[in-house]
Amino acid sequence: MPQIRLTTPFTDEVVEKLRIGQRVLLNGILYTARDAAHKKMVELLDRGEELPIPIKGQVIYYVGPSPAKPGRVIGSAGPTTSGRMDPYAPRLLALGLKGMIGKGKRSPEVIKAVKQYKAVYFAAVGGAAALLARAIKSCRVVAYPELGPEAIHELVVEDFPVIVVNDVLGGDLYEEGVKIYAGR
Amino acid sequence: MRLVDAATITATVAELCQKANYELGEDVLAAFKEALGQEISLTGKDVLQQLLENARIAREEQVPMCQDTGFAVVFLEVGQEVAITGGNLYEAVNEGVRRGYQEGYLRKSIVDHPLRRKNTGDNTPAVIHTRIVPGDKLKIIVAPKGGGSENMSGLRMLKPAEGVEGVKKFVIEQVRAAGSNPCPPVVVGVGIGGTFEKAALLAKEALLRPLGQPHPDAEIACLERELLEAINNLGIGPQGLGGRTTALAVHVEVFPCHIASLPVAVNINCHASRHKEAIL
């Protein structure tokens, strides 16, 4: 399959060109965050405070890695189910978050926000955690160390493989893809 | 009487927890390769290739194939002529899980209470199913089960009049509703008959059968083929991104049941259909 190589952070122009079904190799920085970190970030915003990470143009990876073996950067690190982050995501997209990586369908609200704020939702292959960990070259905690594996980590990745699922046109590969192959 | 030392059980369980998470079975790998040959979606093919590559890396580097290293579900077949020495059987198993998950750098995903939810820190307790069998051997099967796929399971108490058609409808709807969540291509375990809890256990036991091995009863084997075809016609495909390969296999187990009942349970496993066994 043809692949597109992209480097984070993203601009509007970059995400505007992406279409569902495209395979993308990501380079640069990804921030990890899952349930607990999202909850904390939204609480900060409710109090009118600054987020602990620069959100503009960035990409968040929903992941809770297994413990790193000695001498390794990170343990196995596959995507977790994105749906649990749906209540928080539109808020971050409105602030300039450009990309999310996880697995599974997003809510209509998230799909709408992806379109409205010009962003992209990527799926990484659920369970391909040993393969994905190989693309992670460094990992450091940047916020909420008390959350352990759920802390926000800054990852530097090289050719991290993802697939475009929701794009700026409102497309949804989970819907379109299944329609194409149903009954065949 | 044959004596089996609790320490041996602990060491065996610890090793099985790691092997199950690092080394995907040959049957599953063969099923991936077969699916790759039949898949018509390019995205689907890409996903299957990544899964094969992932399994290779995990085995070679002895790291977990998935970061969700699961609930340790342990099946014990205890020969009635076996005596356990030097400790309690269940404590020995739990100590094995504790060691295996710690020493193997496996993720600890178990909370101590379903509502208070504090992580136990060592992935215990295990869920242990024990069967007393003839003989003087102890068989241990460790089947780590991830949360994403387990959450997509279901059970329905059908009316006997709904029959096999009712069973098929329920199984297919369950897989359709699960969509991309259980990380397809999945393995579908189906338990039909028994009671409420027996059906659920049958569905889980069905996941332990090697992929590609049909049920010995021809009628049930036929039902398995029909269900697999119907599920693969849903179009969900690898990772739910569209394609032919939604399930690698459907395994059905049956048990006698009450004249008034027709319980059906569906237990879905992700593509990391993990289990390893040892006989002591």
Side-chain angles (χ1 to χ4, degrees):
Chain A
M1 257 182 112
Q3 297 176 347
I4 306 161
R5 196 168 262 122
L6 293 179
T7 302
T8 65
F10 292 161
T11 58
D12 282 1
E13 292 67 41
V14 167
V15 290
E16 276 169 353
K17 285 184 195 140
L18 295 173
R19 293 294 177 268
I20 61 168
Q22 282 176 333
R23 165 118 186 243
V24 177
L25 297 172
L26 293 175
N27 290 271
I29 288 171
L30 304 178
Y31 290 99
T32 73
R34 41 181 288 161
D35 313 53
H38 273 81
K39 188 159 176 271
K40 278 183 173 263
M41 284 196 284
V42 167
E43 282 167 2
L44 277 182
L45 293 175
D46 284 345
R47 291 198 298 267
E49 293 173 33
E50 290 278 304
L51 289 177
I53 52 168
I55 200 84
K56 257 195 153 37
Q58 301 298 338
V59 177
I60 289 180
Y61 180 23
Y62 306 142
V63 59
S66 63
K69 277 191 167 179
R72 282 175 181 263
V73 167
I74 197 168
S76 294
T80 195
T81 306
S82 307
R84 296 197 313 273
M85 269 50 81
D86 283 353
Y88 311 111
R91 193 87 181 263
L92 300 179
L93 291 166
L95 290 173
L97 177 69
K98 283 289 160 202
M100 301 164 286
I101 309 169
K103 71 174 178 88
K105 273 192 184 187
R106 305 311 300 266
S107 67
E109 292 75 23
V110 174
I111 292 171
K112 199 177 135 213
V114 162
K115 195 174 165 184
Q116 183 181 351
Y117 300 114
K118 295 196 168 77
V120 60
Y121 169 54
F122 298 112
V125 174
L131 172 88
L132 292 165
R134 268 201 172 176
I136 299 170
K137 301 303 169 186
S138 77
C139 170
R140 69 181 181 102
V141 174
V142 290
Y144 311 138
E146 69 277 12
L147 295 181
E150 289 206 60
I152 298 184
H153 295 76
E154 184 192 86
L155 308 179
V156 176
V157 298
E158 274 177 32
D159 287 351
F160 186 94
V162 293
I163 298 160
V164 178
V165 168
N166 295 114
D167 61 19
V168 292
L169 300 181
D172 184 358
L173 186 60
Y174 286 120
E175 291 287 330
E176 303 302 318
V178 173
K179 262 188 226 156
I180 294 169
Y181 296 99
R184 280 177 70 181
Chain B
M1 266 326 210
R2 194 172 146 263
L3 304 181
V4 174
D5 191 8
T8 310
I9 296 169
T10 294
T12 305
V13 169
E15 193 193 336
L16 292 175
C17 288
Q18 295 176 45
K19 273 181 89 172
N21 273 297
Y22 299 164
E23 299 171 12
L24 199 54
E26 292 299 329
D27 57 333
V28 185
L29 294 174
F32 280 169
K33 285 176 194 154
E34 197 187 327
L36 190 55
Q38 291 172 358
E39 183 55 63
I40 48 176
S41 150
L42 286 180
T43 305
K45 273 183 187 288
D46 185 30
V47 168
L48 290 166
Q49 268 156 352
Q50 286 193 47
L51 293 181
L52 276 163
E53 178 69 359
N54 182 64
R56 188 185 63 76
I57 294 169
R59 180 184 290 260
E60 275 179 20
E61 299 184 2
Q62 295 282 289
V63 295
M65 62 190 85
C66 179
Q67 77 285 343
D68 186 349
T69 52
F71 210 131
V73 182
V74 181
F75 292 87
L76 299 173
E77 287 179 24
V78 187
Q80 61 183 18
E81 289 152 50
V82 170
I84 313 292
T85 59
N88 170 298
L89 174 60
Y90 292 161
E91 279 172 15
V93 169
N94 276 316
E95 182 57 25
V97 169
R98 194 170 286 128
R99 277 192 213 166
Y101 274 71
Q102 193 58 40
E103 291 165 8
Y105 295 89
L106 306 178
R107 199 178 79 182
K108 288 81 184 172
S109 311
I110 306 305
V111 292
D112 64 341
H113 185 287
L115 302 176
R116 293 193 294 265
R117 306 192 73 83
K118 183 173 169 290
N119 198 304
T120 62
D122 59 9
N123 222 53
T124 68
V127 167
I128 304 172
H129 301 292
T130 315
R131 214 146 52 101
I132 309 294
V133 297
D136 65 355
K137 299 273 191 287
L138 170 63
K139 184 173 178 181
I140 305 172
I141 306 171
V142 176
K145 191 69 168 68
S149 63
E150 191 73 354
N151 287 349
M152 297 298 114
S153 304
L155 188 138
R156 181 82 56 86
M157 303 303 284
L158 296 180
K159 293 180 183 72
E162 293 179 83
V164 70
E165 288 310 315
V167 169
K168 282 191 215 166
K169 203 172 147 210
F170 173 57
V171 174
I172 293 163
E173 274 317 306
Q174 195 70 29
V175 177
R176 187 205 300 274
S180 63
N181 289 321
C183 287
V186 295
V187 178
V188 184
V190 181
I192 310 174
T195 49
F196 174 78
E197 83 285 6
K198 179 69 180 176
L201 188 54
L202 287 171
K204 178 133 289 174
E205 284 168 346
L207 299 176
L208 302 175
R209 197 198 304 160
L211 298 191
Q213 183 185 308
H215 193 279
D217 177 328
E219 199 182 335
I220 301 299
C222 179
L223 175 62
E224 289 176 343
R225 280 197 305 275
E226 279 178 36
L227 283 170
L228 180 62
E229 197 185 330
I231 287 168
N232 283 337
N233 280 337
L234 293 173
I236 295 169
Q239 289 294 306
L241 299 170
R244 275 290 305 163
T245 322
T246 302
L248 298 171
V250 179
H251 291 170
V252 177
E253 296 296 335
V254 291
F255 197 81
C257 70
H258 191 280
I259 46 174
S261 298
L262 177 51
V264 187
V266 178
N267 193 206
I268 298 181
N269 212 352
C270 60
H271 55 73
S273 182
R274 301 166 282 195
H275 47 91
K276 284 283 182 289
E277 62 181 61
I279 296 172
L280 298 179

